[in-house]
Amino acid sequence: MTQKTGGPTRKRFLVQPVMLRVVVGLIPCLVGAVVFFGLRPLVVIGVVLATGILAEAAFTLRQGKPVTSAVLVSCLIYALSLPPTVPLWIAAVGIAFGIVFGKMAFGGFGYNIYNPAMVGRCFVYISFPLALTAGWVHPFSSLGQGLTSWLPPVDAVTAATPLRVIHEGQSVPLLPLIWGNISGSMGETSAVLIALGGAYILYKKAAPWRLAIGCLLGAFLASSIFYIMRIPRIPHPLTFMMAGSLLFGAFFVVTEPISGPKTKPAQWIYGTAIGALTIVLRRWSNFPEGIMFSVLFMNTFVPLLDRAVQNAQKRRALKGNPS
Amino acid sequence: MAKIRTRTFFRKGVWEENPVFRQILGICSALAVTNLMTNTLIMGLGLIFVTAMSSATVSALRKITPERTRMMVQVLIIASYVMMVDIFLKAYLPDISEALGPYVGLIITNCIIMGRCEGFARNNPVWPAFLDGVASGVGYALVLLVIATVRELLGFGTLFGMHVMPSGWVPWTIMIMAPAGFFMLALFIWVAYELEYKKTQPSHGDK
């Protein structure tokens, strides 16, 4: 899919090995989406990729710059974070907004403050709450059915996601969360597949591991503390971390290299803060999921964190030298 | 002669020195009232009235206004016109007055008016000052109307309260919230600068 859409613009296309590795890391989730939710996810991803690349090309080609492979990553992450029944035009509007306002408005690749995929998702999530939260479906129960069908039966359209169930104060079993046999966004349902892809990109150093681990650590600490404090509607930390898009976010969203911090201590702070904030938002905000908001929120502080760390290091060096 | 000058005033007020996207003035109200076109239109008309009348009045009083207290005098003049608009709206258009909320009263703090009084009306005769005020107000109102058109069209599927979009239209909830005001204003400024850039760089385009 990526090669097909990247093909015609190859000459004007900047190949970034790091970004392509992230694309490879996303493939398990992509396969999972097809297996669980039928062939429609492929069409959604196709539409998103086409729109995203066109949106970026509309800016870069005029300036004589190439389209970067980073846009493929943004598009895939954005597409996989949508529910499988999302109307195609909404998917297209979101990614166009994410690329234009999240990335090109700031000057294109390398200059974006916010994660373009999350900007796009935030835009459609707030604009079309019904289309994006009522459209969850149960995945196919038998394996392989997804390869031949369009979508799971429509009568399951209002299936609540595990996080919604938790938000309402009930408990969910852990095992389906791990295998992915749950309703949810296209790419985020199976913990195993996400971990597989995530392990690949961490192993290939396509993503700073501190960010991913920091995020998981922060989420685990926060949910453990709340769990021990016996705050109602906080499930077992492990369940809470497997549900929703926390894993997907930790491996693929938080680790986005451009909008994330560059210095090591800042990466730890950034990662753990996102993880902890996600848990807080899940429990106390009106939305069942919080990773998108916490990533955007912490993106804002990245330059500040980086500068504070650099200043502290400089001060320490100055203090160390004379004495 | 006079006609050409009128045209220059309007070219300056509406485009070259447009208060909103050139001078980035009056942004608060531009963000706040642009989700419905009717409200925006009323707000724009109110601002045109206040800017024009206070410019004219400041200009008429310019020779007898002491230099030291001129700001206070200007504020008093502006405030009295704003009160007029506010009372008028409350009496004849109570719904819109309610919808605009504090923003009518806040016209008084709108930098556009103060800017025109200080920058132009203080040193110029009444008629040019009046025209200058109208032109600036029109520039403000036009920008707001363009933004409001997009926001109301996408956010409600209506224009001036009339349904224009097909019945299956899904409203873009974010368009009627404050963030969309920021996006649309930024987009507008962006496009306007792009157009201006093309105009000033003739070699850029191919004829």
Side-chain angles (χ1 to χ4, degrees):
Chain A
M1 180 116 283
T2 47
Q3 275 171 350
K4 218 165 75 188
T5 39
T9 52
R10 179 150 293 161
K11 264 187 185 173
R12 294 167 177 158
F13 188 79
L14 180 68
V15 177
Q16 296 157 304
V18 175
M19 289 299 169
L20 291 183
R21 263 175 232 145
V22 179
V23 171
V24 173
L26 283 163
I27 284 175
C29 298
L30 215 134
V31 173
V34 175
V35 170
F36 294 130
F37 298 113
L39 295 176
R40 198 173 188 278
L42 277 186
V43 178
V44 174
I45 291 166
V47 167
V48 167
L49 274 173
T51 320
I53 291 171
L54 279 179
E56 175 147 336
F59 285 87
T60 54
L61 295 188
R62 240 169 27 131
Q63 300 163 343
K65 286 190 222 156
V67 173
T68 55
S69 354
V71 72
L72 301 180
V73 176
S74 299
C75 289
L76 279 178
I77 289 174
Y78 166 78
L80 289 173
S81 74
L82 296 174
T85 56
V86 62
L88 294 177
W89 69 272
I90 290 184
V93 164
I95 192 66
F97 184 87
I99 296 293
V100 172
F101 274 91
K103 189 168 167 191
M104 305 322 291
F106 289 102
F109 175 76
Y111 299 100
N112 46 308
I113 303 171
Y114 296 99
N115 189 326
M118 289 300 107
V119 171
R121 185 177 143 81
C122 192
F123 183 76
V124 289
Y125 198 62
I126 294 176
S127 285
F128 315 106
L130 267 182
L132 281 175
T133 50
W136 308 112
V137 286
H138 269 305
F140 294 110
S141 40
S142 62
L143 216 65
Q145 211 176 348
L147 297 172
T148 52
S149 327
W150 181 243
L151 252 186
V154 188
D155 60 333
V157 151
T158 48
T161 62
L163 271 187
R164 176 67 71 185
V165 174
I166 292 171
H167 204 70
E168 282 157 6
Q170 292 150 359
S171 61
V172 288
L174 179 63
L175 214 57
L177 295 178
I178 294 180
W179 292 113
N181 202 8
I182 44 170
S183 62
S185 297
M186 292 192 277
E188 69 179 31
T189 57
S190 167
V192 170
L193 292 178
I194 296 167
L196 203 68
Y200 175 79
I201 61 167
L202 292 192
Y203 173 70
K204 283 283 184 185
K205 296 200 167 61
W209 61 273
R210 286 179 200 86
L211 295 181
I213 303 301
C215 175
L216 294 177
L217 200 70
F220 183 74
L221 285 179
S223 53
S224 305
I225 292 170
F226 295 145
Y227 186 66
I228 292 166
M229 284 163 69
R230 292 185 186 284
I231 289 173
R233 291 201 282 133
I234 291 278
H236 190 273
L238 210 55
T239 314
F240 214 15
M241 284 178 64
M242 291 296 167
S245 49
L246 181 70
L247 271 184
F248 184 79
F251 283 117
F252 296 107
V253 183
V254 179
T255 54
E256 206 253 356
I258 308 302
S259 56
K262 314 288 178 287
T263 51
K264 283 177 196 172
Q267 285 181 335
W268 279 115
I269 300 171
Y270 176 79
T272 36
I274 288 178
L277 201 59
T278 304
I279 300 297
V280 171
L281 285 176
R282 275 185 183 180
R283 169 63 183 79
W284 280 280
S285 79
N286 287 327
F287 298 96
E289 179 55 295
I291 185 112
M292 170 180 76
F293 293 116
S294 45
V295 167
L296 288 175
F297 185 73
M298 287 309 292
N299 276 168
T300 316
F301 295 105
V302 163
L304 201 65
L305 281 176
D306 264 342
R307 185 167 304 174
V309 167
Q310 278 162 357
N311 283 349
Q313 282 169 346
K314 232 179 269 168
R315 224 174 295 137
R316 200 176 304 154
L318 277 180
K319 230 184 233 171
N321 278 347
S323 64
Chain B
M1 174 76 182
K3 212 178 175 187
I4 297 166
R5 289 195 59 191
T6 315
R7 209 185 292 155
T8 1
F9 276 126
F10 275 90
R11 206 179 60 223
K12 273 192 171 168
V14 174
W15 188 263
E16 283 172 7
E17 290 173 14
N18 183 296
V20 181
F21 69 83
R22 286 276 170 218
Q23 308 177 31
I24 320 289
L25 295 177
I27 297 302
C28 314
S29 51
L31 296 174
V33 301
T34 50
N35 54 3
L36 280 172
M37 287 188 76
T38 321
N39 296 354
T40 313
L41 186 68
I42 299 296
M43 182 73 182
L45 289 177
L47 192 111
I48 294 173
F49 171 79
V50 174
T51 322
M53 293 312 287
S54 16
S55 278
T57 316
V58 167
S59 166
L61 297 176
R62 70 185 186 279
K63 287 186 182 134
I64 55 167
T65 314
E67 189 76 356
R68 265 194 209 161
T69 56
R70 66 171 199 282
M71 293 293 245
M72 278 177 253
V73 173
Q74 285 169 7
V75 168
L76 280 177
I77 292 167
I78 298 168
S80 31
Y81 286 115
V82 171
M83 290 309 288
M84 279 183 218
V85 173
D86 197 23
I87 292 169
F88 177 85
L89 287 184
K90 269 187 189 138
Y92 293 100
L93 300 162
D95 293 343
I96 290 174
S97 170
E98 187 110 340
L100 289 176
Y103 290 98
V104 176
L106 284 176
I107 291 180
I108 190 174
T109 60
N110 197 314
C111 326
I112 299 170
I113 307 168
M114 204 65 174
R116 287 341 287 170
C117 289
E118 264 295 292
F120 192 86
R122 193 156 67 88
N123 307 313
N124 285 284
V126 176
W127 182 239
F130 179 79
L131 280 181
D132 178 74
V134 174
S136 281
V138 168
Y140 170 86
L142 281 180
V143 175
L144 260 64
L145 273 177
V146 171
I147 296 174
T149 312
V150 180
R151 286 183 70 184
E152 184 173 345
L153 199 61
L154 295 179
F156 293 102
T158 59
L159 284 180
F160 287 111
M162 287 178 297
H163 286 273
V164 286
M165 284 302 199
S167 53
W169 177 250
V170 187
W172 299 27
T173 315
I174 201 169
M175 278 299 167
I176 52 178
M177 293 157 62
F182 284 94
F183 302 145
M184 293 317 300
L185 190 64
L187 197 62
F188 191 95
I189 295 171
W190 189 357
V191 171
Y193 270 64
E194 194 72 6
L195 290 177
E196 184 69 20
Y197 177 76
K198 269 199 187 137
K199 217 166 55 182
T200 49
Q201 301 234 329
S203 59
H204 197 66
D206 42 353
K207 278 180 185 171

